[in-house]
Amino acid sequence: MWCFFPRRRYIHSTLSLMKKLKGKSVAEQRWLMRQLRDPYVKASHAQNFRCRSAFKLLEIDDQFRLLQPGYSVVDCGAAPGAWSQVAVQRVNSSGTDAELPRGTVVGIDILNVPPLEGAHFLSCHDVTDPATHAKLLELLPGGRAHVILSDMAPNASGFREMDHDKLIVMCLSLIDLAEKILQPGGSLVCKYWDGIFVQKLQKKLLSVFSSVRTLKPNASRKDSAERFFLARMYRKPVK
Ligand SMILES: C[S@@+](CC[C@H](N)C(=O)[O-])C[C@H]1O[C@@H](n2cnc3c(N)ncnc32)[C@H](O)[C@@H]1O
């Protein structure tokens, strides 16, 4: 077998890499090389996760234990579904462990999200749209979620400030969503891109959550402006 002969294996993998790179632009080749070298991409294939971002949520949840069996979770910007896969496992929403309470996972995306056992997806739905909020209220047990997750991101325009601004607006809309569906004491994890409006978002979060901290999981690429806020102990605003 070729795999017992390192030299042959090297030639085989070099040839297969050359085949993959053929006909690609320089930018595509760079992206492909990065993917092929990335340990999280390899691990996501090995563990059947839909993409490498699963490891960001696994890392956050291993540290903070947000996703408990029986919990209801809303996954905003769910496609292709890796965070939902993690949530399904952790809240036991497919009932894999009959001894534990069964949770609920609802994922939302403007794109189509392929089906996943244990999750309900609102594909082609905008998280910022009040009509989506109304559907969520119907799908969540008692109309309440214990955790809101958001790995949402707009299509990057390449203009850093503009993309940052857009994502902050999306994150701020999660505060309105929280008011409608998040349990008192619940948590929110939201991705943002670092920039000038971060403090505004943090301040808004601190007005309704008792604790807000910034996270940069190891699985988040070092050269990316991506960060996460973990906001805990939700307090419904008094009007
Ligand atoms: C980085 S991907 C999410 C990856 C996902 N967490 C996973 O693990 O598979 C960001 C997603 O946010 C979605 N998105 C962007 N704006 C949205 C919006 N307004 N409503 C819902 N989804 C949105 C995009 O379509 C995209 O699929």
Side-chain angles (χ1 to χ4, degrees), residues 50-54 56 75-85 108-111 113 122 125-129 150-155 170 191 226:
R50 294 180 179 183
C51 64
R52 71 188 291 294
S53 58
K56 299 173 200 170
D75 180 12
C76 303
W83 276 33
S84 289
Q85 286 179 293
I108 309 159
D109 206 290
I110 44 175
L111 301 178
V113 196
L122 294 172
H125 281 70
D126 187 331
V127 167
T128 62
D129 183 348
S150 172
D151 191 24
M152 265 192 305
N155 281 335
M170 286 159 84
K191 172 164 86 183
E226 174 183 85

